[in-house]
Every structure is written in structure tokens, then in C-alpha cells.
Amino acid sequence: MFDRRQFLRGAGALGASVCSAALSGTLGGCGGPTRGTTATTATPATTLPVGPPDYAGLAKQLTGALVRPGDPAYDSARLLYNERFDSVSAPAAIARCATPSDVQRCVDFARRTGVPLAARSGGHSYGGYSTGPGLVVDVSPLATVAPHPNGSGATIGAGAQLIDVYQALGSHGALLPAGSCPTVGIAGLTLGGGIGVLDRLYGLTCDNLSSVTLVTADGRLVVADPTTHAELFWACRGGGGGNFGIATSFEFTTHPVPDDLALFTLDWPVSAAPEVLGAWQGWLPGLPDELWSNCQLLAGGGSAVVRVSGVLVGTTTTLDALLAPLLTSAGAPASRFVGSAGYVEAMFIEAGCQGLSPAACHLTTTPGGTLPRSAFAAKSTFVTQPFGSAALSAAAEALHAAADLAPGLGVALLFDAYGGAINRVPPEATAFVHRDALCGIQMSASWGSGPEPPGASAWLASAAAALAPFTTGAYQNYIDPTLTDWARAYYGANLERLVAVKRAVDPDDLFHFAQSIPSALPA
């Protein structure tokens, strides 16, 4: 079976810009704090002298390593997942935090020196917000995945990558609904929402969060849950990474691994894009929660295809019956695959890691890893009603326009199904407000490596403009530096409440980046 990531690699096109779990303002880690209103604070360092920040002094306080320019590890440690940001990723120091106290000392250091902070877990921020000119707090070493003995939950360090979460939980017969990109960190995914292939049945990743432990701007290590620091907990369920503190661990509710999973991939020629996309959107409202699907309009490397794929918690017999109405509406596909897989195997397939060992399903910057980094730019939006003929034509024409606006690039319009358990949560119940979506759209342009080439931004802007009359909002985990009214697009009616939380926990805006939630709205 080929998933969307494998197709795009084969076409020399996209790669990881199609990861449905990419991050915005990522942060993470793990640790053991106190609960309730009592919180721990790292032992204050000696008062720093006036002058340049004392990074050598900070290094002596950390259990983990502080990597500086000139150190042998620096050239690798500074890199993000997206090669687009290689030329701008030059932090003064990268703290590889081995304990929650390391995170506290970094926050204390930044607060007292004025050095800008950037939080990093997987480093997948679409806007490059997990790096900066100052101190990068890298919590990827805090990556423990500990299933609870009773099988109903797990403690996961915020630096854990998704493929390791799937492997560790699956080996204990448990699952957490999350994204498909294997090297995404659990922190940014969760804090921004977390869409994935099992979410229609089990909810978003943030819907399965029972508590989060994080270091706040005043250096405290606090646990937020539905009864303690409840507003902060609400904000951490979809309010976006990097806004309210630096997470060190999460407690999740988990679910038993299902007995049966069935996967499918259907391909049509690109000329059938309006008919297939229209049939797919009309098919979604009648689906059971157990079935998730996406529709992909893909072009790159001289190839183009319309692809519908998905995952069913159920048997292939049930899947065949559920696919029948779609095929009646869309017409017979040029190719068809339907097959069964175990849970962990299915997650590896969806991650583009079929046949790889867990160690190999990591970036080449990790020992034993074989996955390349990627170079891409993207935009996102949501669909609340099935497209009419004008919208379907606009989507198809946007794909075709890439030949003129972005020649040589890989481009994609990726429609991911929402509904089911996702949409049964009221929009005000968590910070994730997009609870009325029929599907989300990710528009992405990818190239081989390096800085953004001409044409990528032009095509993305053109595609977004073409679909704007038929769509609304944007997904905060596909954070987009080009958006103007980004706060409303990401957070909608929940924005004012998020601003109030920000004002309460970070009034001086220590955790700041270009699209961080402000502590006050403009007048």
C-alpha cells in the first residue's frame, strides 16, 4: 500500500509537508512535579552580572547539555525539521533539557536576562517558531512513554515522537489517537489539537488529555487538569504550543487496541478531481465514527493523481460495504487497494514507515534514523458544508494552476475528514474551536531542499484565494506566517478567553513569537 507520503516522495514532490500532525510553536518534555496550587521552583542561580548573558554559568546548572555555536553538535542541534529554515536557524544556545528543573532554569535565565526563548520538541513548526536568536529550550530528551498498569492511560514526556508513542503504547495493547507524521513531538500536536486517522472514533489528541505539567513564565512547575489550574488546562487543549509555558509531560486517557483495522487507497486520474472530491464530501456525513478518510489532489514530478484513502476500525468486509456508495458516486477508480493490518503496523503504514524498524522511522539526524528532513510551505482552512460546483472547480483549477505558478514543485490539496467524536465536543469546551468542520484542507508546496524557491508562495496564495469563498478559519497546528487575521482564524470565538489565560499566566509575554497569543487584544 502506498500512503500519501510515499506517493509524494516517489514523485519527487512533497515528503513531510503532508504530515497531518505537524506542529506550531512546539514545546515539550517530562518530569515529576507536585500537584495542586503548590508548585516547585528551580533553585535560583547566582544573580547574573550586567553584560552578556552568562551561558557558561547556565550550562553548569543543567543536567542536560547546553550547545553553543562552535560546539561539534551545534550544526545538527540547530536544525528544524523543515529545511526551509536552515538559513535562519542560528540560536545563541540550545538547551537539551534532561529534567523539568532544566526547563525551569532556562525560563528563569531568560526572564532575568531578557534573552528571547523558543521552545522545541519535534521542531516541526510550520512557521519556524521552534527556533530563534536566543535560547532554544529543546525538551526532546524528555521522551518517556509509560503506559499505566491498568491499561486506561499513559504518562508521556512532551519530547516523545509519535512513532515511539505508537510503538510503546501498542506493545501494551493501548492506543492514543494522534497524527501520522512519525517524528512530530507529542507536545505541539496535543497543545494545538491533534488530528489523526483514528480521531473520528476517539476524538482529537487534546480531547484525550487528562492533565499537563508545564513550566510557567514565573518558573513554577505546575500541573493543570480539569479541577486544578482549570483555565490553563482548557487553554492547553487546542490553544497552540508555545503560548502559556513549556510542557514537560502529559497524562492521557488511552483506548484498547481494536481487533481489526482495514486500510484502503483508491486512485483516479486527475481529470476526475471535481467528481471524486464532490462524491467524497457528500459521502462523509453518512460515515460511522469508525471510518476516517482523506481526499488528496496531488501533483509533482510529472505525475498527478486524485487519491482517496482511509482507515476503518473494522473488517475489510465492512469496509467494502462502506466504500460502495462512494464508488457509485465517484465512478470506478483506476486502482484500488483494500487490506487489513494490525494497529502498530497500520500506524507505521500511515507514517510512511512500512517495513522499517522503529529506530529507522526517525530522521537521519537521529542515530539509526533513515527519514529525510523536508522543505515545504503550507496553508490551511476548513470546510463546513460540501462543496458546490463552483468550489469543486476552484479546487481542481488550483491544482492545475501549479504548472504555471510553481513549475517543478510538488503541490497538494489535502482534505482530511472531521466529524464523529471530534464534532460532538462543544466548541467552547476546549480551546480547539473548529468543531463544525466537515473536513480540513492543507495546501502545501514542497521542493527538494533548501530555501523556498520562486513560485511556492505564489501558488499557495492563489490556491487559498480561490478556496476562500467556500472555506473558513485555519488550523493552528499548520501555523501560517502569511495570515493576517491569524488569531481569529485559529481560535475564533475562543480567542478572548485565551487572551485572558495568557494575561493571567504570562502577563509580560515571556513566551512570545510572531503568532503567539497576546496578553491583550488590540483596541
Side-chain angles (χ1 to χ4, degrees):
M1 169 185 173
F2 287 93
D3 75 307
R4 56 184 173 177
R5 194 168 299 104
Q6 290 171 313
F7 168 81
L8 291 165
R9 284 179 182 157
L14 285 173
S17 63
V18 298
C19 293
S20 63
L23 304 185
S24 64
T26 217
L27 42 92
C30 68
T34 59
R35 283 190 170 268
T37 55
T38 303
T40 63
T41 303
T43 303
T46 303
T47 301
L48 295 176
V50 175
D54 183 10
Y55 285 109
L58 175 63
K60 292 176 182 178
Q61 299 172 37
L62 301 180
T63 302
L66 188 73
V67 182
R68 300 288 315 283
D71 292 346
Y74 180 81
D75 285 343
S76 176
R78 73 178 182 85
L79 297 177
L80 302 182
Y81 174 74
N82 193 340
E83 294 182 21
R84 177 187 180 197
F85 302 113
D86 283 2
S87 62
V88 299
S89 179
I94 303 148
R96 293 183 52 79
C97 296
T99 66
S101 292
D102 282 355
V103 178
Q104 290 179 278
R105 290 188 168 90
C106 288
V107 169
D108 178 69
F109 178 85
R111 188 178 64 249
R112 291 185 292 107
T113 63
V115 168
L117 276 180
R120 178 188 302 171
S121 175
H124 282 253
S125 169
Y126 275 30
Y129 298 144
S130 45
T131 191
L135 176 62
V136 172
V137 183
D138 181 353
V139 294
S140 59
L142 301 173
T144 302
V145 181
H148 295 171
N150 63 7
S152 64
T155 303
I156 301 179
Q161 295 183 12
L162 296 188
I163 201 65
D164 299 317
V165 172
Y166 293 139
Q167 178 70 31
L169 294 183
S171 66
H172 285 78
L175 69 82
L176 174 69
S180 65
C181 197
T183 59
V184 159
I186 191 68
L189 174 83
T190 303
L191 295 168
I195 183 69
V197 302
L198 298 176
D199 288 8
R200 281 174 46 85
L201 181 58
Y202 299 114
L204 299 173
T205 311
C206 73
D207 297 335
N208 291 270
L209 181 66
S210 54
S211 73
V212 56
T213 302
L214 70 167
V215 177
T216 52
D218 57 5
R220 293 185 302 152
L221 187 67
V222 303
V223 177
D225 61 28
T227 59
T228 305
H229 303 295
E231 281 297 285
L232 179 58
F233 178 69
W234 175 87
C236 288
R237 299 173 73 195
N243 283 301
F244 308 106
I246 300 180
T248 59
S249 68
F250 299 91
E251 296 283 338
F252 290 103
T253 298
T254 58
H255 306 271
V257 166
D259 293 332
D260 299 297
L261 281 177
L263 290 75
F264 73 95
T265 300
L266 311 169
D267 284 355
W268 286 264
V270 72
S271 58
E275 293 77 15
V276 174
L277 179 58
W280 179 80
Q281 289 188 348
W283 176 65
L284 291 182
L287 295 183
D289 295 355
E290 288 81 3
L291 181 56
W292 173 89
S293 179
N294 63 12
C295 184
Q296 311 155 39
L297 280 59
L298 310 169
S303 301
V305 69
V306 180
R307 173 164 296 166
V308 174
S309 62
V311 178
L312 171 72
V313 178
T315 65
T316 55
T317 300
T318 302
L319 179 57
D320 282 333
L322 290 169
L323 289 175
L326 172 66
L327 300 180
T328 298
S329 298
S335 66
R336 168 182 174 138
F337 169 86
V338 174
S340 60
Y343 167 70
V344 174
E345 179 189 8
M347 294 303 99
F348 271 67
I349 290 171
E350 291 300 313
C353 292
Q354 187 174 18
L356 297 181
S357 68
C361 193
H362 289 82
L363 296 178
T364 54
T365 51
T366 302
T370 63
L371 304 183
R373 295 191 302 135
S374 186
F376 65 94
K379 299 180 74 66
S380 71
T381 189
F382 291 95
V383 179
T384 58
Q385 297 292 329
F387 278 179
S389 59
L392 293 171
S393 296
E397 291 167 6
L399 188 71
H400 295 314
D404 296 322
L405 292 173
L409 301 184
V411 300
L413 297 171
L414 307 172
F415 295 77
D416 287 318
Y418 277 60
I422 301 169
N423 289 21
R424 283 195 292 274
V425 177
E428 70 279 3
T430 69
F432 188 88
V433 76
H434 310 291
R435 301 290 185 170
D436 62 347
L438 175 71
C439 57
I441 309 176
Q442 182 179 184
M443 297 157 274
S444 53
S446 182
W447 50 97
S449 63
E452 181 178 331
S457 291
W459 179 77
L460 286 169
S462 173
L467 295 177
F470 318 106
T471 59
T472 184
Y475 182 26
Q476 50 268 39
N477 270 356
Y478 300 151
I479 206 161
D480 179 2
T482 69
L483 281 182
T484 51
D485 191 15
W486 54 267
R488 289 291 175 191
Y490 299 149
Y491 306 116
N494 286 339
L495 177 60
E496 282 80 7
R497 188 173 171 187
L498 286 165
V499 169
V501 176
K502 177 74 170 184
R503 186 163 54 246
V505 300
D506 184 17
D508 299 321
D509 201 18
L510 180 71
F511 301 113
H512 177 83
F513 53 95
Q515 291 186 340
S516 58
I517 292 172
S519 57
L521 289 174

